């Protein structure tokens, strides 16, 4: 009987499929990538932190390339086969994305790295689904509750609203950004206050992503996207969270931060609603309306009394660095206090995981 | 400033990428699939319910194929480009899998179909992470709580343990099997009792899947996989669930069911632990040790008094049909009562979504 099962299971698996691993991470941090593509003319490896590399074919039609040693981290990669974007069929670790799903490879490192899964208590991720009247669609948000969270106990927690970037979805911060692992580690070390993290779908309208990157070109659609997102967050997600979870419901216990598009949404939502949020973070933010006075009509020097933290960060090699510096200049001109962080790196989760690791410990600390 | 962002965002997107949609579902249920692969010699569409189809190339290098009308459902598909397995880069709807991720296309249907997202109250999916001493690794389980579940209220719920198949992971039943949507719909119609569903990672050892399909060939490893899974479920997952959720803790309020490998695991775990489970379901089960007496040493006629339901189902076109019939013959020879369902279809979630829709309403009903 079992042989029949095996015949069924194995029917789709060619013999070569057993014979190699990809990616193979060597102990020195070098990584070998492999792809069986006997009929391809040219196969390229596209991997973060590695120059695009022409892969070499062996006699069995398996293409391979080995990188130099890579520092411990999670790197995004894919193959280009004669111009075609191809995922690594041997690697189940994906970087899911609405417009461009790729693979990831984990070069493991010491336990001190915040995204390494350690033997510490783990929080739980809760996936909620609801119909949004604001956006006119069915959508979701993900909630991280910290280790030891007990819905029937008296203890209440502060909340960080954490927003993804353009083309990501509500799962990006947990599956790619390792937000739950990073907070588990920070909390276990006593470096961050136990907090709830809410990761909503970050679009005011799905039209901005449904049609692909071209839709970003429309300033009206983009602004509608940002504004409707704010409205959905404040009038739909936040009330559901505050009804379903044991959270503190004052502005000093609410933070909002995000990356790229989500950084812009955090600035627009947070700085225009200081009655709701005392902590604001913008990681490599992009797409902010440069008519700052129109975007932040009420932002004056008095805001400093309400803003516990305005944290703005961008990678030195990020094309958005100039935009972020320009916004900081405007904040300076308005006498608004902020923290500016310029770090190594470009527009990638390699940077954003580190930003979350730096930002979360600053939150909800007593004066 | 925005133009800089746009330049960054659009840099990776070739112009053609804006010009076509894939898959395009027509109102009559026909589906057109498209792939840009100008250098390919041959592109095939592999789609459930459709004969493998050679796609045709147009002048822009876009290959396409249009199916006949497909009945409303969720179909798995992928492309084969000169022998290479390629996902549809235009379609974010994936069927994630540890060994063979593919795409899905949704041909929408009437609200009466159980996997259609309807305007009904939705349950929540909770993703738990823990270190398994039994399996010696870090792993996860997903818990569905029904609409209206309130962790601080007195009401307690029965629990269905729902197991995935070989090569799937703990998210398969929710993301591909639509288990949460199906239960939301059944509960809204009053056709199933509100219940909690626990969807654990279904391997006793990851070795059985880490090395690919070939590992299924080893009977010892396979049996270890099944047995260790049972142990992890009973000694690790079940206690965490019963501690964290408001569940009924008697055998009449516990069910176990699964598909393929998970069907076998449900039979082995359920029928050998009738002190814990009164309801057992096996959907297209595969890999069951045919030495039934050794696998179920205590299963005698007296079990009928404890078994509220033993539900065994398989598709007529499934290669595992004979195995399931053979097991049923043995049950008959032992005077064990069971329900046998032989349905249209093969070894696929098209069948398993329907099985869940048939099985869940039978559970936890009063005598």
């Amino acid at each position: 009987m079992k042989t029949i099962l095996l015949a069924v299971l194995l029917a789709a698996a060619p013999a070569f499929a057993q014979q190699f691993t990809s990616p193979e991470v060597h102990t020195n941090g070098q990584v070998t990538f492999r792809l069986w593509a006997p009929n391809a003319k040219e196969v390229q490896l596209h991997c973060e932190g590695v120059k695009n590399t022409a892969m070499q074919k062996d006699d069995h039609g398996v293409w391979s390339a080995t990188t130099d040693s890579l520092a411990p981290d999670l790197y995004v990669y894919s193959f280009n086969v004669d111009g075609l974007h191809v995922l690594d069929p041997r690697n189940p670790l994906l970087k899911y994305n609405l417009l461009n799903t790729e693979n990831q490879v984990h070069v493991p490192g010491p336990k001190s790295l915040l995204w390494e899964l350690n033997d510490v208590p783990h929080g739980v991720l809760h996936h909620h689904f609801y119909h949004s009247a604001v956006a006119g669609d069915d959508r979701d948000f993900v909630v991280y509750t910290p280790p030891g969270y007990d819905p029937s106990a008296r203890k209440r927690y502060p909340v960080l609203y954490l927003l993804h970037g353009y083309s990501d979805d509500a799962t990006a911060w947990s599956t790619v950004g390792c937000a739950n692992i990073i907070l588990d580690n920070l909390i276990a070390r006593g470096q961050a206050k136990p907090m709830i993290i809410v990761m909503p779908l970050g679009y005011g309208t799905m039209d901005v992503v449904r049609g692909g990157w071209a839709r970003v070109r429309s300033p009206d659609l983009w602004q509608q996207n940002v504004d409707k997102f704010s409205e959905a967050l404040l009038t739909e997600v936040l009330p559901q969270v505050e009804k379903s979870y044991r959270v503190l419901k004052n502005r000093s216990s609410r933070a909002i931060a995000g990356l790229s598009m989500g950084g812009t949404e955090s600035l627009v939502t947070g700085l225009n609603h200081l009655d709701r949020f005392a902590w604001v973070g913008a990681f490599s933010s992009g797409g902010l309306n440069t008519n700052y006075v129109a975007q932040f009509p009420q932002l004056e020097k008095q805001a400093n009394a309400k803003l516990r933290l305005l944290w703005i960060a961008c990678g030195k090699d990020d094309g958005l660095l100039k935009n972020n510096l320009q916004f900081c200049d405007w904040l300076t001109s308005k006498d608004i206090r902020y923290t500016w962080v310029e770090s190594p790196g470009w527009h990638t989760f390699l940077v954003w995981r580190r930003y979350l690791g730096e930002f979360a410990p600053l939150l909800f600390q007593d004066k």
Side-chain angles (χ1 to χ4, degrees), chain A:
Chain A
M1 191 195 277
K2 197 176 289 169
T3 48
I4 296 178
L5 166 72
L6 294 178
V8 170
L9 291 178
L10 293 169
F16 72 86
Q18 326 297 338
Q19 295 165 4
F20 67 84
T21 298
S22 181
E24 181 184 358
V25 180
H26 306 279
T27 50
N28 66 353
Q30 289 187 284
V31 183
T32 301
F33 297 91
R34 297 182 176 93
L35 179 74
W36 181 76
N39 300 314
K41 285 182 207 136
E42 197 181 349
V43 179
Q44 274 214 337
L45 167 69
H46 294 182
C47 179
E48 280 190 302
V50 177
K51 225 176 148 183
N52 286 351
T53 306
M55 298 173 74
Q56 302 301 319
K57 185 164 81 164
D58 72 10
D59 295 344
H60 302 289
V62 176
W63 298 74
S64 68
T66 298
T67 68
D68 293 338
S69 284
L70 297 175
D73 218 313
L74 284 156
Y75 299 91
V76 171
Y77 75 96
S78 61
F79 301 124
N80 187 296
V81 180
D82 296 333
L84 193 66
H85 172 77
V86 173
L87 294 184
D88 186 344
R90 316 267 18 215
N91 180 10
L93 189 60
L94 300 183
K95 176 187 177 287
Y96 181 75
N97 185 277
L98 295 176
L99 295 180
N100 185 31
T101 293
E102 300 186 270
N103 284 105
Q104 287 188 96
V105 57
H106 177 209
V107 178
K111 288 176 185 303
S112 57
L113 293 174
L114 284 174
W115 53 86
E116 292 289 333
L117 189 64
N118 287 316
D119 185 16
V120 299
H122 300 306
V124 178
L125 294 169
H126 312 264
H127 205 159
H128 292 253
F129 305 88
Y130 80 103
H131 183 80
S132 167
V134 170
D137 57 25
D138 294 288
R139 48 177 54 207
D140 58 342
F141 58 95
V142 175
V143 177
Y144 165 84
T145 51
Y149 174 82
D150 178 352
S152 59
R154 287 177 62 94
K155 183 172 165 60
R156 291 184 175 271
Y157 294 81
V159 184
L160 164 61
Y161 290 83
L162 186 61
L163 314 181
H164 64 72
Y166 180 77
S167 77
D168 280 332
D169 78 355
T171 67
W173 260 115
S174 52
T175 59
V176 189
C178 305
N180 52 323
I181 297 174
I182 290 170
L183 264 288
D184 287 349
N185 286 328
L186 288 172
I187 292 168
R189 297 177 198 170
Q191 290 175 356
K193 293 225 166 175
M195 66 183 78
I196 285 173
I197 303 182
V198 178
M199 295 161 277
L201 184 73
Y203 305 99
T205 166
M206 290 306 288
D207 285 349
V208 82
V209 73
R210 200 178 282 122
W213 298 94
R215 295 298 176 92
V216 182
R217 276 187 233 265
S218 159
D220 288 350
L221 184 63
W222 182 262
Q223 191 67 42
Q224 182 197 338
N225 176 55
V226 172
D227 293 343
K228 286 278 174 191
F229 167 77
S230 279
E231 187 185 344
L233 182 77
L234 295 172
T235 66
E236 296 180 336
V237 176
L238 190 143
Q240 288 181 75
V241 167
E242 302 209 336
K243 186 180 162 216
S244 305
Y245 292 89
R246 297 197 65 80
V247 299
L248 293 161
K249 300 180 184 179
N250 57 70
R251 53 182 298 286
S252 297
S253 301
R254 284 198 208 98
I256 186 166
L259 70 90
S260 197
M261 175 184 81
T264 286
E265 290 168 340
S266 298
L267 294 170
V268 171
T269 307
L271 298 181
N272 284 316
H273 295 92
L274 292 174
D275 56 322
R276 309 278 194 104
F277 300 96
W279 317 78
V280 179
F283 309 166
S284 320
S285 68
L288 183 62
N289 185 340
T290 52
N291 186 343
Y292 301 130
V293 175
Q295 188 66 83
F296 305 105
Q298 294 147 12
L299 194 64
E300 299 295 341
K301 195 178 169 185
Q302 303 89 291
N304 291 324
K306 290 191 168 177
L307 258 177
R308 297 290 303 279
L309 180 66
L310 173 54
W311 197 87
I312 301 174
C314 195
K316 287 181 202 299
D317 301 325
D318 192 322
L320 295 165
L321 179 65
K322 269 176 69 174
N323 311 25
N324 279 274
L325 288 169
Q326 185 185 329
F327 179 60
C328 287
D329 286 346
W330 181 74
L331 290 172
T332 302
S333 77
K334 299 283 287 184
D335 277 335
I336 307 289
R337 274 198 306 272
Y338 61 90
T339 301
W340 167 245
V341 173
E342 196 172 312
S343 71
W346 59 100
H347 204 70
T348 159
F349 268 105
L350 278 80
V351 165
W352 302 320
R353 284 187 287 265
R354 288 169 171 81
Y355 286 170
L356 180 62
E358 283 186 62
F359 180 72
L362 306 175
L363 296 178
F364 314 124
Q365 301 296 337
D366 299 326
K367 269 184 186 161

